[in-house]
Amino acid sequence: MATASLTKLAKVSALAMGATMLGRTLMKRSRRYRLIGKNALVTGGARGLGLDIARQLVLKGANVAIIARDPSEIARALVDLRQRRDSASVQVVGQVCDLQDPAAIDAMLAAVRGTLGPIDVLVNNAGMMQVGPLDSMSYADFERAMQLHCFAPLRTMLGVRADMRARGSGRIANIASIGGIVAVPHLLPYSASKFALMGLSQGMGAELAAEGIVVSTIAPGLMRTGSPRGATFKGDHEKEYAW
């Protein structure tokens, strides 16, 4: 009898596990998202990781707006992206914007909507690195990092929310960093602001899920995207760059 009971329990457990796995599979399938014809916005999209993300979106058939501060970088990136699209119907546009200026963010969002239409996909990728010991950092360094890595993504997320909520769907990806999980020496403004982005992104994901908006928080490790060449070095520049 004991053996029969154990066998029955094992079967019930197996069925329950199978149902759980099936449920997870169905959830994953329901979260698949077709990018063809969708309007995507990528901040920091003119070089490095942002440009790679924009390339993938274009290849998937999405209309893409890339955001950066440097007009010449945007021009080069647009040539690259337009060569990769399969159809001329895929729109690729660029917008100059200083993401540390809240009013500029609002104007940028309005301009992108005016060109592409409502935004379906938002990738908050823009970032900066300030490298050096704490004694070389100023309060303003922390403010700049927080504005770019936390408050700018917050403003763009709030800015596209109405577009996504109106359709009951949308995708937001916030590119944080391993430095937002483990504090990295000589990168304190960067790490502190990326920690803030991690919390903001995860909290927004919980808040917006009921509206059909999926928020992904991504924390890459070290990548060969040219970030050190765009970093600001303080203290002993040569040693900090080598490190």
Side-chain angles (χ1 to χ4, degrees):
M1 292 292 293
T3 301
S5 297
L6 288 172
T7 301
K8 185 176 181 180
L9 178 61
K11 288 181 178 179
V12 171
S13 298
L15 287 171
M17 184 177 295
T20 299
M21 292 177 67
L22 176 60
R24 288 176 179 173
T25 300
L26 290 174
M27 285 181 66
K28 286 181 180 178
R29 288 179 179 175
S30 69
R31 290 162 71 95
R32 287 179 181 171
Y33 193 71
R34 288 177 59 83
L35 288 164
I36 295 176
K38 296 294 193 299
N39 298 325
L41 186 155
V42 183
T43 69
R47 58 185 171 90
L49 177 61
L51 180 55
D52 282 338
I53 292 171
R55 287 168 177 157
Q56 293 302 312
L57 290 167
V58 166
L59 289 172
K60 296 288 186 180
N63 303 311
V64 177
I66 57 172
I67 310 304
R69 289 183 300 173
D70 187 336
S72 61
E73 285 190 346
I74 290 177
R76 287 193 295 270
L78 290 178
V79 172
D80 178 296
L81 294 171
R82 286 168 180 157
Q83 290 174 341
R84 295 171 187 272
R85 59 186 178 182
D86 290 333
S87 170
S89 64
V90 173
Q91 298 183 68
V92 181
V93 299
Q95 185 72 32
V96 176
C97 179
D98 181 357
L99 294 169
Q100 298 195 59
D101 180 352
I105 294 174
D106 296 341
M108 174 271 291
L109 292 173
V112 171
R113 282 195 194 92
T115 304
L116 298 182
I119 297 166
D120 302 289
V121 178
L122 168 66
V123 181
N124 281 311
N125 167 76
M128 64 186 298
M129 296 179 70
Q130 300 143 305
V131 186
L134 177 59
D135 287 344
S136 70
M137 297 296 175
S138 67
Y139 189 84
D141 290 324
F142 286 86
E143 286 186 318
R144 282 191 290 270
M146 285 296 295
Q147 177 59 45
L148 185 58
H149 296 152
C150 183
F151 292 115
L154 172 61
R155 199 169 189 92
T156 56
M157 284 190 281
L158 294 177
V160 303
R161 180 186 180 189
D163 291 347
M164 297 179 177
R165 181 169 53 187
R167 292 185 301 283
S169 69
R171 295 295 185 272
I172 297 173
N174 293 311
I175 311 299
S177 169
I178 188 64
I181 299 174
V182 179
V184 180
H186 289 217
L187 288 171
L188 192 50
Y190 177 84
S191 283
S193 57
K194 288 292 188 176
F195 266 84
L197 177 59
M198 290 286 293
L200 172 66
S201 182
Q202 291 171 8
M204 290 290 278
E207 292 279 354
L208 299 181
E211 300 175 5
I213 302 170
V214 177
V215 181
S216 299
T217 307
I218 303 167
L222 296 175
M223 296 181 294
R224 293 182 181 274
T225 58
S227 295
R229 291 177 177 81
T232 300
F233 291 88
K234 296 192 170 187
D236 188 322
H237 293 197
E238 185 174 349
K239 289 182 178 179
E240 293 293 342
Y241 187 89
W243 179 81

